[in-house]
Amino acid sequence: MPDFGPLKKAGCVLVVVDIQEKLLPAIHDFTSLLNRAGKMVTAAQALDVPILFTQQYSRGLGPTHISLSGLLPDFTHLEKITFNCFGAPGFEARLQELEARTLVMIGIETHICVCQTALEALQRGFDVHVVADAVGSRATANHMIGLERIRQAGGIITATELTIYEWVERSDSPEFKMILPILK
């Protein structure tokens, strides 16, 4: 059964699904999605939450958008041709290595790669938090249906600020002072 309490950063991995240059412009309100994804990646880095990037068929869809890949000096990604990230060579092994219990997911498309990965993760016993304002689809109807499908399966639908504030927990912590500029 999923943990419906506040999200704790211990055991979390931020999974950035396929936010690639050639696909991104087709996504509804992609500039907002990209902005929030940047906040999530920056916060995860600042709070020592591990980050995994995937790319779907890079040869055709291009690399991860530079505004995200440029945030990490040692950027790497896992290449995939399956919609489900668990089909990417090394994905599951990396989660095990990181002792992940919770996947916090952002990326595109909500109803395809994000949804299929979330459903697989739930079946494998992970808690799943999908950051609704940092995932997207070409059509808003597909985005909403994808989120609802994940919710029906036991995933938690959340938001950028909600996730970051839960990771930080306290306003008197050094972490809060560190991430405050990200939230403004």
Side-chain angles (χ1 to χ4, degrees):
M1 181 166 168
D3 180 357
F4 291 107
L7 179 66
K8 304 294 184 194
K9 69 179 182 172
C12 277
V13 172
L14 178 64
V15 180
V16 183
V17 181
D18 309 343
I19 304 181
Q20 293 167 252
E21 290 180 354
K22 290 184 182 176
L23 180 57
L24 191 60
I27 302 302
H28 175 76
D29 196 16
F30 76 91
T31 54
S32 293
L33 182 151
L34 196 55
N35 176 272
R36 290 183 188 108
K39 288 181 180 190
M40 288 297 300
V41 169
T42 303
Q45 265 191 300
L47 299 170
D48 295 320
V49 173
I51 306 167
L52 290 181
F53 285 85
T54 66
Q55 289 180 188
Q56 177 77 26
Y57 183 61
S58 298
R59 193 173 73 177
L61 297 176
T64 296
H65 195 277
I66 188 67
S67 67
L68 299 179
S69 62
L71 294 171
L72 286 84
D74 57 348
F75 174 81
T76 60
H77 74 278
L78 296 169
E79 183 71 25
K80 66 186 188 66
I81 55 170
T82 58
F83 299 125
N84 181 339
C85 292
F86 282 89
F91 184 78
E92 186 173 7
R94 189 73 179 113
L95 293 177
Q96 289 174 357
E97 183 181 301
L98 295 168
E99 299 180 5
R101 294 184 305 279
T102 303
L103 304 187
V104 175
M105 299 183 65
I106 65 175
I108 55 181
E109 287 191 63
T110 310
H111 66 295
I112 305 171
C113 297
V114 173
C115 186
Q116 288 186 31
T117 303
L119 296 176
E120 180 76 19
L122 289 163
Q123 283 188 322
R124 292 173 182 244
F126 291 94
D127 287 331
V128 173
H129 290 243
V130 176
V131 184
D133 59 353
V135 295
S137 296
R138 289 164 287 164
T140 55
N142 285 335
H143 170 73
M144 299 308 294
I145 291 166
L147 291 174
E148 185 56 29
R149 175 75 174 94
I150 294 164
R151 184 190 325 270
Q152 289 169 343
I156 295 170
I157 307 305
T158 189
T160 298
E161 282 199 12
L162 198 152
T163 300
I164 294 170
Y165 276 98
E166 286 185 353
W167 276 342
V168 172
E169 295 185 49
R170 304 174 55 93
S171 64
D172 64 349
S173 68
E175 291 87 3
F176 180 69
K177 289 173 182 60
M178 187 172 42
I179 61 96
L180 195 55
I182 298 166
L183 299 169
K184 289 187 178 189

